[in-house]
Amino acid sequence: MNEAPRPPRRVGDTSPTADDLLPRVARGDEDAFGALYDLVAPQVFGVVCRVLRNPSHAEEVSQEVFVEIWRTASRFDPSRGSVRTWATTLAHRRAVDRVRSEQASTDRERRAAAGDKSPAYDQVVEEVTASLEQEQVRRCLGSLTDLQRQAVTLAYYVGYNYREVAEVLGANLATVKTRMRDGLIRLRDCIGGLELGAPR
């Protein structure tokens, strides 16, 4: 599998990229971790803030993301994408998990207040169905090329538009649009009629 495209460096720029820094972070280099934080923190916070829409909660979840990056840096697989893509994907997952956790807590409190001790059958069915659908989507994403998978993930899981996806991947805008269109066609055929609207 070919390595994912990386954003081009400016001429004369010798500062390390996120992809340069993560192997050092995996070896426990705290200075490299600080430099990596400075590079990707704005994107991580932006992704989390889009989901949570609460800056103080977003700061908390962003810190959790960086703790996870520090702990799991050695397991990062560069063949599956860039460090920036990985970090923003972790951020999105953490933010969505927070939303689901808070919603589940609110639902439990509401049921307790109403004196309802019986299991919520509809909720269980909905959660199981959603889990099966997510597993199918993950399996189908694995059938895409690196660029297709990264572009689709950034657009539909992180919420980036075409231009933002192109900037993160360091790819030509027209190429990103073409790869995303081809990727969505393959996903639709794999999943079977899934409706995915185009990003802005």
Side-chain angles (χ1 to χ4, degrees), residues 16-109:
T17 66
D19 297 280
D20 297 329
L21 292 166
L22 193 69
R24 290 167 51 191
V25 173
R27 295 192 294 270
D29 187 331
E30 294 182 7
D31 290 336
F33 181 70
L36 179 66
Y37 180 92
D38 291 340
L39 279 176
V40 302
Q43 280 181 294
V44 166
F45 180 76
V47 167
V48 175
C49 215
R50 285 186 191 187
V51 176
L52 299 183
R53 302 186 185 282
N54 181 313
S56 62
H57 289 177
E59 287 177 9
E60 183 181 329
V61 172
S62 295
Q63 292 304 315
E64 293 173 3
V65 171
F66 280 99
V67 169
E68 184 173 358
I69 288 173
W70 174 258
R71 288 190 307 102
T72 62
S74 61
R75 297 203 296 268
F76 171 72
D77 181 1
S79 70
R80 296 176 64 89
S82 71
V83 171
R84 284 183 184 274
T85 302
W86 176 61
T88 52
T89 301
L90 289 179
H92 186 263
R93 286 178 187 162
R94 281 270 179 177
V96 170
D97 286 347
R98 173 63 67 91
V99 170
R100 288 175 177 161
S101 175
E102 290 182 355
Q103 183 60 52
S105 177
T106 300
D107 291 346
R108 281 194 301 271
E109 290 173 3

Side-chain angles (χ1 to χ4, degrees), residues 2 5 28-29 31-32 44 51 67 69 72 117 121 134 161 182 184 186 189 195:
N2 296 327
D29 187 331
D31 290 336
V44 166
V51 176
V67 169
I69 288 173
T72 62
K117 304 299 182 185
Y121 174 78
Q134 288 171 2
N161 61 33
D182 295 344
L184 290 176
R186 290 177 65 175
D189 293 342
E195 292 293 333

Side-chain angles (χ1 to χ4, degrees), residues 148 162 172-184:
Q148 287 173 342
Y162 284 125
N172 178 278
L173 180 60
T175 300
V176 165
K177 288 184 176 182
T178 300
R179 295 294 183 273
M180 198 179 298
R181 183 197 65 220
D182 295 344
L184 290 176

Side-chain angles (χ1 to χ4, degrees), residues 115-134:
D116 180 10
K117 304 299 182 185
S118 60
Y121 174 78
D122 289 343
Q123 181 182 354
V124 172
V125 171
E126 184 177 315
E127 288 176 359
V128 170
T129 301
S131 178
L132 291 173
E133 288 174 352
Q134 288 171 2

